[in-house]
Amino acid sequence: MSLTDLEQAISIDLDGTAVSGVYARPAGGDASATIVVAHGAGAGMDHPFMSGFTRALNADGFSTLRFNFAYREAGRRFPDRPPAAIAAWRTVMGVAGELAVQAGRAGEPVWAAGKSFGGRMASMAVASGMDASGLVFLGYPLHAPGKADKPRDEHLPGITMPMLFLQGRNDPFAIPNEQLDAVAERVGPNAVVEWIDGANHSFEVKGAKRPAAEIGASLAERAASFVRAHVPSAE
């Protein structure tokens, strides 16, 4: 996949395993924050949804770092187990901080975001002590489809940083919708759910076909607004 003028391919060492990443900083070097973005279980960092989302954030004044988990880099189908995925998140967040320092932006807020599996692993990493300025979920997999009685939410109420859930109303991983609303209510005012009417788990809307890159980009404005509202120095 070709890179934009702002993007650079990087290699990230995950405890001896090299994985790919793409880092981008807005022209001029200043950024409201760095947003690290992880892919979902079935597609890697180069999926058009991912690049569309991060490139729209770059255009809106944010630095981004998207990356592959080790299983995806190796071409394996099944996602890494949580301990490995959490360790990857910790490493990549550290790399994002180092890149900000190299750009002369020490102390720049670093947020963690992810599509489905990637976002859930970010939240588990934060719950186990990973430092982040906030979380953005692009379709949180609250439960497996049809298994609302087995929610994956036990760690969420302990997270006190800002959290934005961008969720499709027709997402089978979050039906009934009221269940995710109830989770956010238990978490407290730091958790906000924004529902996308008609959207499924990939944020596709029936009868309104759009390229995946455009769908990803359409979510960037919502994410950017939320992050800016929680970054005191941002204009």
Side-chain angles (χ1 to χ4, degrees):
M1 181 178 186
S2 60
L3 303 180
T4 68
D5 291 340
L6 296 178
E7 295 174 328
Q8 68 177 98
I10 64 173
S11 179
I12 301 169
D13 180 13
L14 299 182
D15 195 24
T17 298
V19 300
S20 302
V22 173
Y23 178 68
R25 178 164 286 275
D30 290 343
S32 301
T34 292
I35 302 177
V36 181
V37 190
H39 58 78
M45 68 166 188
D46 285 332
H47 190 278
F49 176 94
M50 295 285 291
S51 58
F53 179 70
T54 56
R55 288 169 180 174
L57 287 173
N58 298 151
D60 203 7
F62 292 89
S63 296
T64 59
L65 173 57
R66 63 183 193 268
F67 69 96
N68 277 337
F69 287 110
Y71 81 94
R72 188 71 191 182
E73 191 75 16
R76 297 193 299 271
R77 177 180 176 184
F78 296 103
D80 297 324
R81 299 294 297 168
I86 289 170
W89 257 113
R90 288 178 177 272
T91 296
V92 177
M93 290 292 280
V95 169
E98 292 169 4
L99 289 168
V101 170
Q102 292 172 16
R105 298 281 294 176
E108 180 175 283
V110 180
W111 284 60
K115 178 73 182 78
S116 194
F117 167 81
R120 179 173 168 243
M121 291 300 105
S123 68
M124 292 177 69
V126 165
S128 66
M130 184 181 81
D131 189 29
S133 296
L135 289 160
V136 176
F137 303 109
L138 306 174
Y140 186 84
L142 184 59
H143 52 72
K147 296 185 178 180
D149 58 327
K150 296 180 179 179
R152 303 157 174 162
D153 64 344
E154 62 280 352
H155 62 291
L156 294 175
I159 298 175
T160 58
M161 66 185 56
M163 289 189 287
L164 173 64
F165 295 82
L166 294 177
Q167 204 83 25
R169 285 208 177 272
N170 289 343
D171 183 349
F173 289 81
I175 292 175
N177 297 166
E178 295 78 11
Q179 190 172 8
L180 183 58
D181 286 330
V183 170
E185 189 172 333
R186 288 204 311 276
V187 172
N190 58 301
V192 174
V193 181
E194 289 193 17
W195 292 102
I196 313 297
D197 288 338
N200 63 16
H201 194 56
S202 298
F203 294 95
E204 299 164 334
V205 176
K206 188 175 182 179
K209 188 172 178 59
R210 294 181 296 167
E214 183 179 324
I215 294 173
S218 72
L219 300 177
E221 183 178 356
R222 293 172 181 262
S225 295
F226 186 82
V227 173
R228 282 203 173 92
H230 293 88
V231 177
S233 59
E235 295 299 329

